[in-house]
Amino acid sequence: MFTDAASYGCIVGTRASALSAQLCKWFNDGVSAGAKKEDTHMAAPGTAEQRHNAWKALEAHHAQVGTATLKEMFAQDPKRGKRMTLTAEGILLDYSKNRVNDETLKLLTGLAEAAGLKQSIEAMFNGEKINITENRAVLHVALRAPKDEVIEVDGHNVVPDVHEVLDKMAAFATRVRSGDWVGATGRRIKTVVNIGIGGSDLGPVMAYEALKHYTQRDLAFVFVSNVDGTDFVEGTLGLDPHETLFLIASKTFTTLETMTNAHSAREWFLKNTDGDEKAIAKHFVAISTNAKEVAKFGIDTANMFGFWDWVGGRYSMDSAIGLSTMIAVGPDQFKEMLEGFHAMDVHFRTAPLAQNMPVLMGLLSIWYTDYFDAQTVAILPYDQYLKRFPAYLQQLTMESNGKHVTLEGDHVGTETGPVYWGEPGTNGQHSFYQLIHQGTRLIPCDFIGFYKTLNPIGHHHDILMANVFAQTEALAFGKTAEQVKAEGTPDNLVPHRVFEGNRPSNTLLADTLTPRLLGSLIALYEHMVFTQGCVWNIDSFDQWGVELGKVLAQKIVGELDPTTTPDLKHDSSTNHLIQLYRQKKAANG
Ligand code: G6Q
């Protein structure tokens, strides 16, 4: 029989003692690394001792309240549901169904203060080189700064550069949308194919899907990312090259997947037209920071849209990387999206920590990750247009905070980035929600819904939103054995039908999904990630794990040619797998 007490125990899963041991190590390392800390570009946070004390205070607090239930908390404070809400830039966050009380929030805010979050936010907005491992500024906030703002990197104001590119994008997008930009044979562009991967793909795809309602429907959009030839072949199947425009999106213009797809696109285009290389200029444009490689590929740099090394790939969807978005929705609506981003930037920079939505969400995720041993966070948008939002957030969160060393290079003393995942509702309810409701793991969830649908038919929207409210209620309050019995359930089935409850969730509600709202929503998560990274004292803006993959595959590609006899120097498993592939490839011709 599942009693309430037993059920809480099994999902609380506190790792307080392990955390305590790690914190001691971290504290000692922090003190000895004190001098090194001065060398970094981060603005000085609290001392190692203050940070240590803030973590320890939360640990003690967790020992006291970690088993308290949402049911009790709601019973104690009838106004909790209304009180624990926060509104910013058209988004309402209801955080009342989290396992926190006022003291928890105070201590979490104290943790952020001790970590120097306020100073770090200023350091980012001021263009300091807070991406210390790449010695780069982190200025996606400059991509949506109004024209009159001044943001300097090495003494140079980057805002005019941003607006120059935005203007160039707007002129180009307008020409493609109106049919003024024509292909080499004078035909109007009907399909735009974005070729990119990772940060040069996930943002554009997500934004295209999210804003489909606002797109020009006589233009089709295709996104090719995977080096698996199937992606390119299926993506271009049936396209007329005379009416197709390729956007080659790559910050470096050296990424193996993107360059392979770009070369295939070039061959496909020349093979299916009269093969005149001069036509390339009308059908290929580049989005990159690397003019040299763009020219080498054969794209006229006049048809190149630039950005800068201070824009990280996963933070680039509102830079020139968003050209496909701008062509789809038009420059005015793209501008509205940027305004939404900017509004949330201002909120993040100016709101007090306790009323700061990205900060609060970041701190709540730290509470579950580091004190409840929660390993994942589910992102559950109840809007079909946001179907790619969880995939987008996977990269934003996990590439940013999937780090095991501190800014000083020491092993972290706490757990860092949880796994983010999800699917749109209500589809997910018919598959993995079972585990969230009745499994043994604690999975904090973000539910995202809208008061108004863009497609009002019948009762669909009420049914959709009723599910949001029902799910968060069931997760928080569950169903006791007594309730199950009272329904006439046979005794042997009662345990199976008990819902422990006490499973936390955030609910995010907004009026309707507009370009502006999308911008604010993305910025909310960007800054939530920043908050987490600052508290964990890690570099959220490098991605050495991605870089490694880029190098390793390049080497092995050359070893797969069966006409050569490479001296394979990998481990015995990798050598064997490569040999098998070479033999099969030779046999298959
Ligand atoms: C993002 C990562 C990574 C990157 C891709 C594509 O933050 O760095 O996902 O966006 O590897 O890189 P390119 O744009 O240089 O092709």
Side-chain angles (χ1 to χ4, degrees):
M1 181 69 63
F2 286 7
T3 64
D4 276 0
S7 66
Y8 302 140
C10 79
I11 63 164
V12 162
T14 175
R15 48 185 297 280
S17 58
L19 180 67
S20 200
Q22 282 178 316
L23 283 173
C24 288
K25 181 189 174 301
W26 189 57
F27 174 60
N28 293 332
D29 291 348
V31 170
S32 66
K36 250 198 285 173
K37 181 85 202 163
E38 303 297 311
D39 300 337
T40 73
H41 295 275
M42 293 293 280
T47 62
E49 191 177 355
Q50 283 166 339
R51 285 185 285 147
H52 175 77
N53 289 343
W55 282 104
K56 292 293 284 183
L58 273 159
E59 190 182 325
H61 175 70
H62 177 264
Q64 283 174 358
V65 304
T67 53
T69 68
L70 286 166
K71 206 179 273 177
E72 290 158 1
M73 291 178 198
F74 272 82
Q76 277 157 18
D77 175 6
K79 298 208 172 101
R80 181 182 171 98
K82 203 166 165 194
R83 193 169 64 80
M84 288 193 161
T85 58
L86 183 63
T87 304
E89 302 316 322
I91 301 172
L92 173 124
L93 165 67
D94 174 352
Y95 58 94
S96 64
K97 293 192 185 87
N98 280 287
R99 291 168 65 168
V100 294
N101 60 24
D102 293 342
E103 179 65 10
T104 322
L105 296 170
K106 207 170 119 208
L107 291 171
L108 284 169
T109 311
L111 179 66
E113 269 161 14
L117 178 59
K118 271 281 171 201
Q119 296 91 326
S120 295
I121 293 172
E122 279 312 297
M124 171 170 72
F125 277 88
N126 288 330
E128 287 182 39
K129 296 190 176 169
I130 62 169
N131 176 355
I132 59 162
T133 72
E134 296 181 305
N135 193 29
R136 286 177 182 165
V138 173
L139 274 181
H140 40 281
V141 293
L143 297 171
R144 51 263 192 160
K147 257 188 184 146
D148 55 355
E149 215 166 285
V150 177
I151 302 177
E152 292 186 344
V153 177
D154 295 329
H156 172 74
N157 180 13
V158 299
V159 179
D161 303 348
V162 167
H163 282 272
E164 192 184 320
V165 174
L166 282 173
D167 290 346
K168 184 174 170 183
M169 288 164 66
F172 180 73
T174 304
R175 290 188 67 191
V176 175
R177 286 166 64 84
S178 68
D180 180 46
W181 177 281
V182 289
T185 52
R187 280 157 66 183
R188 199 182 165 136
I189 298 300
K190 290 211 178 125
T191 306
V192 176
V193 182
N194 188 82
I195 295 184
I197 197 165
S200 301
D201 168 71
L202 287 161
V205 183
M206 180 275 289
Y208 173 68
E209 293 295 342
L211 300 178
K212 207 175 216 165
H213 178 80
Y214 303 91
T215 58
Q216 184 169 313
R217 299 289 180 143
D218 62 358
L219 275 171
F221 289 79
V222 173
F223 296 85
V224 174
S225 56
N226 201 333
V227 74
D228 182 343
T230 300
D231 204 13
F232 180 82
V233 170
E234 290 291 345
T236 53
L237 203 66
L239 296 188
D240 183 335
H242 303 284
E243 299 173 343
T244 301
L245 175 69
F246 289 96
L247 312 180
I248 314 298
S250 174
K251 181 174 170 182
T252 54
F253 231 72
T254 54
T255 303
L256 183 58
E257 292 92 330
T258 301
M259 296 328 294
T260 305
N261 277 320
H263 282 284
S264 296
R266 204 170 181 279
E267 276 164 35
W268 175 87
F269 177 80
L270 293 173
K271 197 172 127 213
N272 292 294
T273 57
D274 63 7
D276 180 1
E277 301 240 351
K278 285 204 288 301
I280 297 277
K282 286 285 171 198
H283 293 269
F284 284 76
V285 302
I287 302 159
S288 186
T289 55
N290 192 343
K292 206 167 129 215
E293 287 296 324
V294 169
K296 220 160 101 190
F297 179 84
I299 295 179
D300 184 347
T301 48
N303 296 338
M304 171 178 155
F305 299 84
F307 58 117
W308 308 271
D309 72 356
W310 42 261
V311 184
R314 56 195 172 275
Y315 296 89
S316 67
M317 58 152 293
D318 49 340
S319 70
I321 290 290
L323 184 60
S324 58
T325 315
M326 196 193 267
I327 297 173
V329 301
D332 290 345
Q333 298 190 103
F334 193 86
K335 189 165 166 262
E336 283 170 24
M337 183 181 79
L338 295 184
E339 286 165 1
F341 269 103
H342 179 67
M344 189 57 80
D345 294 344
V346 173
H347 169 79
F348 182 53
R349 192 176 187 181
T350 58
L353 296 183
Q355 279 102 48
N356 195 310
M357 197 179 285
V359 171
L360 190 54
M361 286 177 63
L363 292 174
L364 287 168
S365 64
I366 289 167
W367 175 236
Y368 296 120
T369 302
D370 287 305
Y371 293 96
F372 290 79
D373 204 19
Q375 311 205 341
T376 79
V377 177
I379 303 292
L380 309 167
Y382 279 65
D383 188 304
Q384 188 62 17
Y385 285 126
L386 288 178
K387 66 180 181 190
R388 296 285 296 179
F389 195 59
Y392 171 77
L393 285 190
Q394 274 176 20
Q395 183 192 25
L396 182 70
T397 56
M398 295 200 275
E399 205 169 75
S400 297
N401 287 339
K403 309 289 162 64
H404 71 289
V405 292
T406 64
L407 289 171
E408 294 81 19
D410 302 310
H411 203 283
V412 289
T414 58
E415 295 290 349
T416 60
V419 173
Y420 280 80
W421 59 287
E423 279 287 324
T426 59
N427 294 7
Q429 289 176 210
H430 299 265
S431 63
F432 56 79
Y433 277 44
Q434 167 61 36
L435 190 149
I436 306 180
H437 280 287
Q438 286 192 304
T440 54
R441 296 172 192 282
L442 184 78
I443 302 179
C445 305
D446 286 357
F447 287 81
I448 304 171
F450 295 90
Y451 300 118
K452 201 169 135 214
T453 176
L454 291 164
N455 295 298
I457 51 163
H459 292 305
H460 286 241
H461 197 59
D462 285 349
I463 295 170
L464 179 72
M465 292 307 293
N467 275 281
V468 173
F469 306 135
Q471 288 297 325
T472 64
E473 186 179 21
L475 287 168
F477 305 109
K479 201 188 237 186
T480 62
E482 290 66 37
Q483 287 171 306
V484 176
K485 271 187 206 155
E487 289 169 354
T489 308
D491 279 0
N492 65 324
L493 290 184
V494 170
H496 300 276
R497 301 185 63 168
V498 164
F499 289 75
E500 295 169 346
N502 215 17
R503 293 164 194 239
S505 64
N506 288 317
T507 304
L508 293 155
L509 293 177
D511 194 35
T512 192
L513 180 55
T514 59
R516 184 184 171 98
L517 192 278
L518 181 70
S520 295
L521 188 65
I522 297 166
L524 168 61
Y525 278 96
E526 285 178 346
H527 299 321
M528 182 214 67
V529 167
F530 185 96
T531 301
Q532 293 175 331
C534 175
V535 172
W536 286 321
N537 192 31
I538 56 181
D539 189 333
S540 301
F541 301 103
D542 60 12
Q543 55 283 313
W544 296 105
V546 176
E547 310 302 334
L548 175 71
K550 289 186 178 184
V551 175
L552 287 181
Q554 290 274 17
K555 182 168 181 279
I556 295 180
V557 169
E559 296 171 347
L560 300 183
D561 178 357
T563 63
T564 63
T565 43
D567 181 14
L568 297 178
K569 290 208 168 79
H570 307 276
D571 58 276
S572 61
S573 162
T574 311
N575 282 346
H576 181 230
L577 294 170
I578 291 173
Q579 291 291 13
L580 283 175
Y581 183 85
R582 287 167 53 87
Q583 284 158 18
K584 289 286 180 195
K585 191 176 170 191
N588 291 336

